């Protein structure tokens, strides 16, 4: 097994370090696809948001997309009830729509035209968003839970990890039915092994960068 180095880092320094890593992935005009993967309790959207300005300062246009806007219809998500952890793990995310409307158009030679939102889950209808074009050198920042292990084409995947205890403590009571889904994800998918970078977020004020050496 590879050795692991764990480095405490401030949230601000983490954003700068990740922006440097992303910017270094390709010095040319290629569009880059970056996923910030983590349970809602790890707040992956906040880290994705924190990367926007540092990337723009590096000359990288940014498009923010959330997996929460690419869920399947309620008739599919809730077929087995509102609190079915296996359905949450297996069925909620519309992988096909995310690939078709967001990730595939950003392939080298792709159109760059992306649909930023696909479905309004609360209203259970199409979001009616308009396509936007991500400029060359642009970066897609996709956040959400359970993103890895789905064969998404990504240039960089960052996983925000939580210990089981921290995940349980920080998950609201009315969302704790999802905890078995994250236990499955850890056991079956192994996001810490699949991610290019892992950040421990048991304490959001004091994250730690985990790197294989």
């Amino acid at each position: 097994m590879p050795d692991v180095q764990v480095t405490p880092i401030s949230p601000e320094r983490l954003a700068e370090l990740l922006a440097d890593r992303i910017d270094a992935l390709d010095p040319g005009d290629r569009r880059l696809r970056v996923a910030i993967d983590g349970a809602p309790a790890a707040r992956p959207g906040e880290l994705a948001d924190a990367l926007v300005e540092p990337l723009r300062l590096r000359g990288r246009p940014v498009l923010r997309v959330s997996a929460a806007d690419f869920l399947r219809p309620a008739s599919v998500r809730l077929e087995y009830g509102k609190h079915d952890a296996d359905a949450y793990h297996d069925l909620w995310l519309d992988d096909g729509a995310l690939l078709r409307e967001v990730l595939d158009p950003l392939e080298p030679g792709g159109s760059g035209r992306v649909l930023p939102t696909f479905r309004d889950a609360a209203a259970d209808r199409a979001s009616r968003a308009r396509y936007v074009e991500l400029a060359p050198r642009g970066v897609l920042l996709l956040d959400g839970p359970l993103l890895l292990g789905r064969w998404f084409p990504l240039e960089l995947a960052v996983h925000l990890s939580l210990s089981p205890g921290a995940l349980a403590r920080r998950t609201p009571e009315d969302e704790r039915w999802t905890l078995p889904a994250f236990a499955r994800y850890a056991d079956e998918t192994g996001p810490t092994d699949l991610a290019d970078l892992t950040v421990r977020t048991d304490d959001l004020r004091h994250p730690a960068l985990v790197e294989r050496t």
Side-chain angles (χ1 to χ4, degrees):
M1 293 180 63
D3 292 331
V4 172
Q5 179 177 338
V6 180
T7 306
I9 190 169
S10 70
E12 296 77 17
R13 177 60 188 138
L14 175 62
E16 292 292 331
L17 183 149
L18 289 177
D20 283 341
R21 297 267 180 117
I22 294 166
D23 189 41
L25 288 172
D26 190 285
D29 289 339
R30 184 177 177 185
R31 302 176 179 96
L32 303 174
R33 296 158 295 187
V34 177
I36 310 296
D37 170 70
R43 301 181 187 174
E46 291 187 8
L47 178 55
D49 289 342
L51 288 170
V52 172
E53 189 60 22
L55 285 169
R56 286 178 175 162
L57 290 174
R58 288 161 175 80
R60 296 279 188 177
V62 176
L63 176 63
R64 282 283 290 111
V65 172
S66 175
D69 295 317
F70 284 81
L71 301 183
R72 290 191 168 96
S75 60
V76 177
R77 299 197 318 272
L78 308 180
E79 180 179 359
Y80 301 100
K82 293 183 177 181
H83 300 139
D84 188 285
D86 286 330
Y88 179 73
H89 183 283
D90 298 334
L91 300 176
W92 277 42
L93 183 64
D94 193 335
D95 306 56
L98 196 51
L99 277 166
R100 181 179 68 252
E101 304 292 357
V102 179
L103 298 171
D104 285 348
L106 301 181
E107 288 280 353
S111 68
R113 293 182 71 248
V114 171
L115 192 65
T117 66
F118 183 71
R119 178 169 293 275
D120 182 336
D124 196 31
R125 61 170 175 79
S127 67
R128 301 173 185 168
R130 295 188 177 187
Y131 285 89
V132 298
E133 185 170 345
L134 182 60
R137 286 184 50 80
V139 178
L140 166 74
L141 294 174
L142 169 68
D143 76 274
L146 310 172
L147 293 177
L148 304 185
R150 297 176 181 267
W151 302 103
F152 287 152
L154 300 167
E155 279 65 58
L156 187 73
V158 180
H159 174 63
L160 306 186
S161 72
L162 286 166
S163 67
L167 176 60
R169 286 193 304 273
R170 298 212 332 242
T171 299
E173 184 69 34
D174 62 350
E175 297 177 11
R176 288 186 180 175
W177 62 270
T178 64
L179 294 178
F182 291 107
R184 268 191 66 192
Y185 186 54
D187 290 341
E188 298 176 12
T189 302
T192 58
D193 294 325
L194 293 180
D196 299 295
L197 291 168
T198 294
V199 181
R200 292 183 183 173
T201 57
D202 282 9
D203 184 342
L204 289 170
R205 298 166 300 176
H206 304 286
L209 185 65
V210 181
E211 297 180 281
R212 301 180 187 91
T213 59

